[in-house]
Amino acid sequence: MLLTLAWGSLFFPGLFALCTWGLRRARPEWTDYDCVMISTRVVSSAQAVFATGSGIAIIRSCKNVVTDRHWLAQEYVWFLIPYMVYDIYAMYLCDWYRIKEQNRRHSLIIFRNFLSKNRLMITHHVAILLVLVPIAQRFRGELGDFFVGCIFTAELSTPFVSLGKILIQLKKQHTLLYKVNGILTLTTFFSCRILLFLFMYWSYAQQKDISLFQVPFRIPVFCNVANAFLIAPQLYWFSLLCKKAVGLFDTPPAEKDG
């Protein structure tokens, strides 16, 4: 546990610092905000790859979705804790550089604006640390590694979201790559962050040989509550992605006529 926490505490900030240093040397014309923002997205994508890989390994090894165990189901959570702490700081750092380049507002004002602007994401991260981590590591006992693996695979959409942000920052949002990436973002987000919950309920139904509609009444109430808590922000973020996608493919009339 302690060794995994230490590795996570070194890896994520270290990768961020290395990326930022490399971008500043490779692209001296970029602003500090450009380098920091892109580095943040690279680290997020790296974490997503690790999480998705861990999740797939867990899912493939757990034939019994309730009782089978896999060491990654607990070990990767310890690796994830430092990332959640780092990511909150990285989000603030991006805001700090962005606003500092626009004006010289006081750091306290920047911090208050950061809390206001990112309250949903911060709440999401804090809830994972204070609620989901204790559930995953202690309260569930030795049951449900399969479902922990499923939750890990929700990160599959993150690299595509990150690439979209990077392309916007580089003013490449009118390229074919950006449009293809937008389609992949919507597809992976919907599959791995929304349909994922249906898949977990279906897997339990198959294991217990019951109807899918019986599952919510056969599992503990806190499981339904936890799933509702997890899927609610995903539905909100997916609605935002859909709005962006509509704008992406909605060509202005003047361009259509031309």
Side-chain angles (χ1 to χ4, degrees):
M1 178 191 76
L2 293 178
L3 183 60
T4 307
L5 280 170
W7 274 114
S9 300
L10 290 173
F11 177 78
F12 294 113
L15 180 59
F16 171 77
L18 180 64
C19 288
T20 304
W21 174 81
L23 287 173
R24 282 171 174 162
R25 288 180 63 87
R27 292 289 186 271
E29 70 276 12
W30 285 3
T31 65
D32 286 337
Y33 170 68
D34 290 334
C35 296
V36 168
M37 191 281 293
I38 292 175
S39 297
T40 300
R41 296 298 172 181
V42 170
V43 176
S44 296
S45 298
Q47 190 283 134
V49 170
F50 292 147
T52 303
S54 299
I56 292 173
I58 294 167
I59 292 169
R60 287 176 60 86
S61 71
C62 293
K63 304 306 179 184
N64 187 304
V65 303
V66 178
T67 60
D68 281 0
R69 308 300 313 278
H70 193 286
W71 63 273
L72 278 170
Q74 284 198 312
E75 205 64 24
Y76 190 77
V77 174
W78 296 124
F79 193 64
L80 183 64
I81 290 172
Y83 170 77
M84 288 295 170
V85 177
Y86 146 82
D87 197 44
I88 292 174
Y89 174 72
M91 287 191 296
Y92 170 71
L93 199 62
C94 284
D95 257 24
W96 190 85
Y97 273 110
R98 179 177 59 82
I99 295 175
K100 279 292 185 179
E101 288 177 0
Q102 295 173 358
N103 53 59
R104 296 187 175 277
R105 300 173 70 179
H106 193 274
S107 295
L108 182 59
I109 298 175
I110 295 175
F111 182 69
R112 284 204 298 259
N113 288 341
F114 165 73
L115 292 178
S116 175
K117 177 184 174 184
N118 298 281
R119 58 184 177 273
L120 180 58
M121 185 63 74
I122 294 171
T123 301
H124 177 259
H125 279 41
V126 172
I128 288 176
L129 291 171
L130 299 183
V131 179
L132 295 183
V133 167
I135 290 175
Q137 300 298 78
R138 184 174 180 84
F139 296 122
R140 70 184 178 90
E142 297 184 352
L143 302 175
D145 282 14
F146 173 87
F147 300 107
V148 174
C150 288
I151 297 299
F152 287 165
T153 63
E155 291 294 318
L156 179 62
S157 62
T158 299
F160 301 105
V161 174
S162 295
L163 178 58
K165 297 285 187 180
I166 292 173
L167 291 173
I168 291 174
Q169 187 62 26
L170 298 179
K171 296 180 172 53
K172 302 290 186 181
Q173 62 266 45
H174 301 297
T175 62
L176 177 62
L177 174 61
Y178 183 79
K179 293 183 177 181
V180 172
N181 182 71
I183 294 172
L184 291 173
T185 300
L186 285 174
T187 303
T188 55
F189 196 100
F190 183 71
S191 300
C192 296
R193 294 196 178 224
I194 297 175
L195 288 184
L196 171 71
F197 293 91
L198 183 63
F199 170 73
M200 291 194 291
Y201 278 67
W202 176 83
S203 299
Y204 184 87
Q206 294 293 108
Q207 182 72 54
K208 296 297 183 180
D209 195 23
I210 59 176
S211 165
L212 176 64
F213 301 104
Q214 292 177 286
V215 174
F217 307 101
R218 295 288 189 91
I219 62 177
V221 174
F222 78 85
C223 292
N224 291 316
V225 172
N227 286 333
F229 171 81
L230 287 171
I231 198 173
Q234 311 306 329
L235 291 171
Y236 172 73
W237 287 322
F238 184 70
S239 69
L240 296 182
L241 289 174
C242 288
K243 289 179 182 178
K244 289 184 180 179
V246 170
L248 178 65
F249 293 99
D250 186 18
T251 309
E255 294 183 15
K256 291 178 181 177
D257 296 339

